[in-house]
């Protein structure tokens, strides 16, 4: 059997970080072990029934049983524009400032493909979602990450970027609310980002996947809400988190018309069109009742509060995230690094967490855990951790 070699670009790509975690968990599950999975990012709640019903109705329409338009149905793009006007007060041209595609990952990877040339710099943060690094690699671009720290709210300081690097940046990728840290952006930070972009003449992409999930009464802001933001800014969004539609694969990008145009042109060559019925269901989600979205944010906040209380009760002093459905927990000083710590929790407690180093060097002392398990399951995870003897218990479990 011939052994055909992959391209050099494919060789340079790392193994998918999350598939490795899934494999480790699956091995225990195959042995009949009950693993509490705090590592993955797959929403546990069902898609709201009205959206499911909208898909069923749309799938029966003959117009949706053939190829949909290359740039998406006008009704879907108009729904996106109406959604941004209602939620953020941002006016968008559905024809020139909106692109739709299969899940926001296509936008996150596609925009670098559409803008970067070999040797250009993609600038982002450390830690960051691992796919940003892959996006740079696929474009043949250089990758530069600004270390962010807990004491700074996990927001980058652009003054630390060397001038020779800043002059070669062709795209700044942000992600607020942030995966993995759970941090949210301030209006002042977004303003600084746009000033930095204008000074060096590059666009800013904010991955707004968790835009609906802010806690403690603070609603995450859109980068496009800043004055004249569309001169430099684009934003990607997904229905996966907001409406529990992870498997539906519907995402969109909005903002600067030249970036959106380049992405749409790239998309027509690299990807296919989105099933028309999914676009109709997405429009129903964006324009329909939004109380389920608010209920979901309240559910995640309650789980966050439970997680923090339970972990502190067993002696793990953790910080509460400001948004997303993740928490970024600093590992106790008595442990060497996030990889060995995560292995120990899986082996001894059958609790899976994501080692922070997979998100960058700044994650070496952190693990990412999700808020995608019910409160009883979170209590059980804490009880299992307590029984390992790895933590110095300081009190009983929270009520």
């Amino acid at each position: 059997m011939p052994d055909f070699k992959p391209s050099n670009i494919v060789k340079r790509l790392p193994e998918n970080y999350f598939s490795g975690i899934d494999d480790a968990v699956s091995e225990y599950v195959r042995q009949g072990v009950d693993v509490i999975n705090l590592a993955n990012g797959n929403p546990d709640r069902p898609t709201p029934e009205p959206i499911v019903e909208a898909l069923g109705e749309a799938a029966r329409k003959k117009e949706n049983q053939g190829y949909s338009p290359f740039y998406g149905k006008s009704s879907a793009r108009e729904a996106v524009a109406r959604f941004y006007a209602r939620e953020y007060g941002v006016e968008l041209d559905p024809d020139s400032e909106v692109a739709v595609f299969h899940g926001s990952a296509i936008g996150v990877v596609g925009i670098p493909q559409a803008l970067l040339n070999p040797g250009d710099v993609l600038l982002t943060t450390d830690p960051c979602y691992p796919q940003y690094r892959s996006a740079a690699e696929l474009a043949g671009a250089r990758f530069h990450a600004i270390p962010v720290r807990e004491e700074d709210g996990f927001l980058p300081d652009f003054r630390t970027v060397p001038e020779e690097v800043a002059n070669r940046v062709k795209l700044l990728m942000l992600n607020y609310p942030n995966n993995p840290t759970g941090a949210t952006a301030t209006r002042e930070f977004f303003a600084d980002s746009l000033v930095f972009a204008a000074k060096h003449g590059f666009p800013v992409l904010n991955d707004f996947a968790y835009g609906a999930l802010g806690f403690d009464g603070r609603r995450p802001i859109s980068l496009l809400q800043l004055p004249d933001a569309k001169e430099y800014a684009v934003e990607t969004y997904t229905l996966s988190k907001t409406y529990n539609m992870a498997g539906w694969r519907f995402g969109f990008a909005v903002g600067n018309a030249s970036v959106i145009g380049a992405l749409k042109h790239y998309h027509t060559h690299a990807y296919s069109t989105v099933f028309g019925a999914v676009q109709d269901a997405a429009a129903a989600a964006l324009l329909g009742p939004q109380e389920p979205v608010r209920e979901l944010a309240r559910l995640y906040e309650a789980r966050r509060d439970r997680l923090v209380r339970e972990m502190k009760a067993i002696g793990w002093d953790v910080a509460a995230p400001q948004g997303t459905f993740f928490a970024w927990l600093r590992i106790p000083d008595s442990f060497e690094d996030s990889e060995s710590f995560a292995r120990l929790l899986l082996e001894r407690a059958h609790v899976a967490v994501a080692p922070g180093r997979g998100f960058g060097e700044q994650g070496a002392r952190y693990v990412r855990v999700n808020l995608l398990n019910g409160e009883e399951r979170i209590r059980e995870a804490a009880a299992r951790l307590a029984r390992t003897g790895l933590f110095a218990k300081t009190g009983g479990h929270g009520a």
Side-chain angles (χ1 to χ4, degrees):
M1 182 74 68
D3 182 12
F4 298 109
K5 303 301 181 185
S7 69
N8 290 334
I9 287 179
V10 170
K11 287 179 183 177
R12 290 196 296 268
L13 291 174
E15 292 298 317
N16 186 286
Y17 171 65
F18 301 106
S19 67
I21 298 172
D22 288 345
D23 290 345
V25 171
S26 296
E27 183 58 35
Y28 279 91
V29 173
R30 279 194 293 270
Q31 298 171 31
V33 175
D34 174 36
V35 176
I36 299 178
N37 194 339
L38 302 181
N40 68 18
N42 197 9
D44 66 309
R45 305 300 297 163
T47 305
E49 189 58 30
I51 303 173
V52 177
E53 292 175 358
L55 175 71
E57 293 176 10
R60 296 184 182 93
K61 294 180 179 179
K62 188 175 185 300
E63 68 183 78
N64 286 328
Q65 294 169 5
Y67 294 121
S68 59
F70 279 114
Y71 293 155
K73 299 178 72 170
S74 59
S75 56
R77 289 184 279 106
E78 289 165 3
V80 169
R82 289 172 61 186
F83 170 80
Y84 255 73
R86 184 192 71 223
E87 296 294 321
Y88 305 110
V90 174
E91 297 298 323
L92 296 165
D93 183 328
D95 293 324
S96 64
E97 296 176 337
V98 178
V100 301
F101 34 74
H102 289 280
S104 66
I106 286 179
V108 165
V109 174
I111 288 175
Q113 302 297 302
L115 296 180
L116 301 179
N117 292 307
D120 290 342
V121 171
L122 184 154
L123 182 66
T124 188
T125 62
D126 179 355
C128 71
Y129 185 53
Q131 203 162 12
Y132 302 166
R133 188 180 295 274
S134 301
E137 195 69 64
L138 287 168
R142 292 176 53 200
F143 180 88
H144 186 90
I146 308 170
V148 296
R149 297 176 176 84
E150 193 167 345
E151 55 267 31
D152 300 320
F154 295 112
L155 299 174
D157 182 350
F158 298 118
R159 295 171 299 181
T160 66
V161 180
E163 194 68 16
E164 63 272 19
V165 172
N167 290 334
R168 298 182 66 178
V169 172
K170 297 301 179 184
L171 179 64
L172 169 61
M173 292 187 71
L174 302 175
N175 171 216
Y176 293 97
N178 183 260
N179 174 13
T181 67
T184 56
T186 63
R187 186 173 292 272
E188 293 74 19
F189 167 71
F190 272 160
D192 288 345
S193 302
L194 292 172
V195 168
F196 185 58
K199 177 182 177 181
H200 295 281
F202 54 73
V204 183
L205 164 60
N206 183 44
D207 178 356
F208 205 35
Y210 303 90
L213 303 178
F215 303 143
D216 304 316
R218 293 192 293 267
R219 189 174 186 221
I221 64 171
S222 162
L223 175 60
L224 296 182
Q225 288 179 279
L226 276 289
D228 302 318
K230 283 191 290 185
E231 290 185 12
Y232 291 93
V234 291
E235 207 156 56
T236 53
Y237 199 96
T238 173
L239 274 61
S240 297
K241 284 76 176 177
T242 305
Y243 301 102
N244 287 319
M245 294 171 66
W248 299 55
R249 310 312 301 148
F250 184 87
F252 58 84
V254 295
N256 181 276
S258 63
V259 176
I260 295 298
L263 173 62
K264 289 163 72 173
H265 183 68
Y266 169 78
H267 189 269
T268 62
H269 291 273
Y271 299 100
S272 186
T273 56
V274 180
F275 181 29
V278 168
Q279 295 188 59
D280 288 350
L286 293 168
L287 301 180
Q290 300 299 298
E291 181 55 29
V293 178
R294 292 185 283 273
E295 289 178 359
L296 187 65
R298 290 193 289 268
L299 173 70
Y300 288 142
E301 183 169 351
R303 290 178 177 180
R304 178 205 66 169
D305 293 344
R306 170 66 67 182
L307 175 79
V308 172
R309 285 200 304 270
E310 295 291 339
M311 295 307 167
K312 286 188 174 183
I314 68 170
W316 189 359
D317 188 18
V318 300
Q322 298 172 329
T324 77
F325 51 51
F326 295 116
W328 187 237
L329 309 183
R330 185 172 179 85
I331 67 175
D333 292 338
S334 55
F335 297 96
E336 292 182 6
D337 56 63
S338 60
E339 289 100 330
S340 60
F341 179 71
R343 282 196 301 271
L344 206 55
L345 299 193
L346 185 57
E347 291 168 3
R348 295 196 187 180
H350 301 147
V351 173
V353 299
R357 193 181 288 277
F359 299 90
E361 289 301 313
Q362 292 298 309
R365 303 292 304 171
Y366 290 84
V367 293
R368 191 194 73 177
V369 304
N370 66 39
L371 304 176
L372 304 174
N373 291 268
E375 290 191 45
E376 285 306 309
R377 200 68 166 155
I378 293 171
R379 283 174 63 92
E380 171 62 20
R384 291 186 187 184
L385 296 179
R387 288 194 294 268
T388 65
L390 297 172
F391 300 88
K393 188 172 180 180
T394 57
H397 293 317

